């Protein structure tokens, strides 16, 4: 592997140096906790009204800890299939009618270029290097926050009935297939194993094996079998864990500023401080500050380290730091059903659950998960930026897909969709399906941690661990070259837009 460049000297002296993290999702909060563990005084700036707010991608996701997800959606031959997928009114890939689509042309060209077999393999191996450490990367953050993911949610639970439920549910994960023994399915499984190593446990199941695990699935939906990941797990409520982590961060002395209307949590620029231009010693901590983080309301924080973890909104900050990147968003939807009412006091046993674990159907492009707040179906991919409104038919599409995935009785038992829970969120995505992690090339002290696409919750912990290592002048333990912000500089499809 290529040797990693040493970080700037100022980052190595972390004793109560100030760090700022921009973004309050799983990646941002994990970075804040790891930096706090490393000795930094950390301020977290979140543009939304709260950390883990309803419209955040960290709140509305499918809740799966996707440590198996190293193989990207990009694949050889996608360029042939994409037009038909987009034109299919019931397909998982659609375009939102919005002028932003014109701005996505270079992103689309880059995504198609990333479908070459060699590119897909490189992406799978690079993601595998992070995913292999994904859960281990969270351990330090959870310990620092005083959170036991295998303990009860308590006051963080979304309903009173769920207070005794654990944050994490370790029941495995099912990835349905059209034909689990087809060459394409077997080849993808081999690439998973190559990227994730010998510790990955996955097993091919036929339809009967799938129905043994999830008897309420429709037999025709699982006729092709599935890949079974027995070590897979999911969060019963992603927002609950994120709030618990954020509270632990604050109890340890961390500061959170949210965009409550004053603009104090929304960052507009990161600029270098020179020794003669107001920089130098941080006024409160006495440690060297090299970057000024300015908010929309004009307030600023001078820091030794500033982490850009603002998800789909990170591109403009990276550009101002000298690193234009083709970051855009994949719009995703979810629908949810309210949990069934508790059984009457006279009942000796509660009814069996409709679903025990997450079930993914790649053909439909969504996952159904038995959350504490009810069954949630999350997924689909829609292009059109962050300004276009939700497309109502997509919620109906997810509802119909979910009911067709379940057997007739189970679909009827779902009841009426909780329309007030309908959700649209924005996955921060780069054309090659890899995040940007590493130091800025233009502003000292700035570290990037964004673009985690569909697996931001999964990769939050290890990303925070890597960011803290860079800030402390330590080796990150991962080759960061595939995640460099400069990796797009020589791409023909991107160079005219830099």
């Amino acid at each position: 592997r290529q040797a990693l460049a040493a970080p700037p000297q100022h980052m190595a002296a972390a004793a109560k140096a100030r760090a700022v993290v921009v973004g309050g999702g799983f990646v941002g909060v994990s970075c804040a906790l790891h930096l706090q563990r490393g000795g930094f005084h950390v301020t977290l700036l979140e543009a939304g009204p709260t950390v883990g707010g309803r419209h955040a991608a960290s709140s509305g996701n499918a809740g799966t800890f996707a440590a198996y997800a190293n193989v990207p959606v990009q694949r050889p031959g996608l360029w042939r299939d994409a037009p038909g997928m987009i034109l299919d009114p019931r397909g998982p890939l659609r375009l939102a009618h919005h002028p932003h689509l014109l701005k996505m042309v270079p992103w689309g060209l880059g995504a198609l270029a990333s479908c070459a077999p060699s590119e897909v393999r490189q992406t799978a191996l690079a993601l595998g290097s992070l995913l292999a450490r994904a859960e281990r990367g969270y351990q330090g953050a959870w310990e620092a926050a005083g959170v036991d993911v295998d303990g009860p949610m308590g006051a963080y639970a979304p309903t009173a009935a769920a207070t005794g439920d654990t944050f994490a549910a370790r029941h495995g994960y099912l990835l349905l297939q059209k034909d689990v023994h087809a060459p394409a399915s077997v080849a993808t499984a081999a690439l998973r194993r190559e990227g994730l190593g010998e510790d990955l446990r996955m097993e091919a199941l036929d339809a009967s094996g799938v129905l043994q695990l999830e008897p309420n699935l429709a037999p025709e939906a699982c006729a092709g079998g599935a890949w079974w990941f027995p070590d897979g797990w999911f969060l019963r409520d992603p927002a609950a864990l994120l709030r618990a982590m954020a509270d632990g961060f604050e109890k340890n002395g961390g500061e959170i500023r949210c965009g409550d209307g004053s603009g104090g949590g929304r960052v507009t620029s990161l600029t270098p401080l020179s020794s003669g231009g107001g920089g130098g010693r941080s006024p409160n901590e006495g440690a060297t500050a090299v970057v000024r983080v300015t908010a929309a309301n004009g307030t600023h924080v001078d820091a030794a380290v500033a982490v850009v973890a603002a998800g789909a909104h990170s591109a403009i900050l990276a550009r101002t730091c000298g690193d234009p990147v083709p970051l855009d968003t994949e719009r995703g939807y979810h629908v949810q059903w309210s949990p069934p009412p508790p059984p009457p006091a006279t009942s000796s046993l509660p009814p069996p659950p409709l679903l025990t674990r997450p079930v993914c159907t790649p053909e439909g492009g969504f996952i159904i998960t038995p959350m504490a707040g009810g069954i949630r179906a999350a997924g689909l991919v829609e292009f059109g930026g962050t300004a276009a409104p939700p497309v109502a038919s997509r919620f109906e599409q997810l509802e119909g897909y979910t009911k067709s995935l379940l057997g007739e009785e189970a679909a009827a038992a779902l009841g009426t969709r909780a329309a007030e829970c309908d959700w649209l969120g924005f996955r921060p995505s780069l054309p090659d399906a890899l995040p940007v992690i590493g130091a800025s090339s233009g502003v000292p002290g700035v570290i990037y941690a964004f673009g985690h696409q569909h697996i931001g919750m999964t990769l939050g912990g290890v990303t925070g661990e890597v960011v803290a290592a860079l800030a402390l002048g330590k080796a990150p333990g991962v080759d960061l070259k595939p995640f460099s912000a400069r990796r797009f500089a020589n791409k023909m499809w991107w160079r005219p837009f830099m």
Side-chain angles (χ1 to χ4, degrees), residues 10 13-19 39-41 273 279-290 302-304:
H10 74 276
K16 289 304 175 186
R18 183 178 289 276
F40 285 92
H41 177 75
L273 291 171
R281 297 292 176 181
S282 172
N284 295 325
E285 308 299 339
T288 302
V290 298
D302 295 344

Side-chain angles (χ1 to χ4, degrees), residues 75-389:
R75 55 177 171 76
L78 182 62
W79 63 272
R80 287 192 305 267
D81 300 336
M85 294 167 67
I86 292 170
L87 292 172
D88 181 358
R90 302 296 295 170
L93 176 63
R94 296 300 302 279
L95 304 179
H97 299 295
H98 193 272
H100 182 81
L101 287 173
L102 292 174
K103 297 181 180 180
M104 291 195 71
V105 169
W107 190 98
L109 294 173
L112 291 177
S114 298
C115 290
S118 60
E119 295 284 335
V120 172
R121 183 172 180 273
Q122 287 176 23
T123 293
L125 297 184
L127 281 178
S129 71
L130 293 175
L131 288 165
R133 298 173 47 184
E135 186 166 357
R136 188 168 72 249
Y138 264 117
Q139 296 303 326
W142 290 334
E143 288 172 9
V147 173
D148 177 8
V149 295
D150 295 307
M153 289 186 283
Y156 296 103
T159 65
T163 55
D165 292 342
T166 57
F167 288 98
R170 300 182 183 273
H171 302 314
Y173 178 83
L174 281 168
L175 182 61
L176 298 179
Q177 300 289 289
K178 203 171 185 178
D179 179 359
V180 73
H181 300 297
S185 179
V186 172
T188 298
L191 191 52
R192 289 193 201 281
R193 290 194 173 99
E194 182 183 5
L196 295 167
E198 297 298 322
D199 290 339
L200 175 68
R201 292 204 300 157
M202 59 184 295
E203 179 185 349
L205 299 181
D206 60 15
S208 63
V210 174
L211 289 170
Q212 187 174 356
L213 289 170
E214 293 294 347
N216 285 321
L217 293 177
E220 59 270 21
C222 49
W227 288 107
W228 161 236
F229 299 89
D231 297 325
W233 57 274
F234 68 96
L235 293 175
R236 288 191 167 93
D237 190 277
L241 177 59
L242 188 58
R243 289 194 298 269
M245 291 171 65
D247 282 354
F249 166 71
E250 287 189 294
K251 288 174 183 175
N252 291 337
E255 179 188 11
I256 296 178
R257 302 180 190 176
C258 292
D260 55 1
S262 67
R266 185 167 65 85
V267 173
T268 56
S269 68
L270 299 100
T271 51
L273 291 171
S274 62
S275 57
R281 297 292 176 181
S282 172
N284 295 325
E285 308 299 339
T288 302
V290 298
V291 57
R292 173 162 292 177
V293 183
T294 303
N297 65 355
T299 60
H300 67 265
V301 182
D302 295 344
V305 175
V307 181
V308 178
H313 307 286
S314 300
I316 190 168
L317 295 177
R319 183 175 284 274
T320 63
C321 292
D323 293 303
V325 293
L327 179 73
D328 216 289
T329 179
E330 295 180 39
R331 295 155 56 91
Y333 290 78
H334 91 220
V335 295
Q336 195 159 315
W337 287 262
S338 298
T346 54
S347 176
S348 58
L349 292 173
L354 291 180
L355 206 66
T356 304
R357 55 189 58 79
V359 178
C360 175
T361 165
E363 274 197 284
F366 73 104
I367 302 170
I368 53 174
T369 306
M371 298 278 189
I375 296 288
R376 175 184 293 182
L380 308 181
V381 171
E382 185 175 82
F383 298 122
T386 58

Side-chain angles (χ1 to χ4, degrees), residues 62-82:
T64 57
F65 194 84
Y68 50 84
N70 67 316
V71 179
V73 174
Q74 288 89 329
R75 55 177 171 76
L78 182 62
W79 63 272
R80 287 192 305 267
D81 300 336

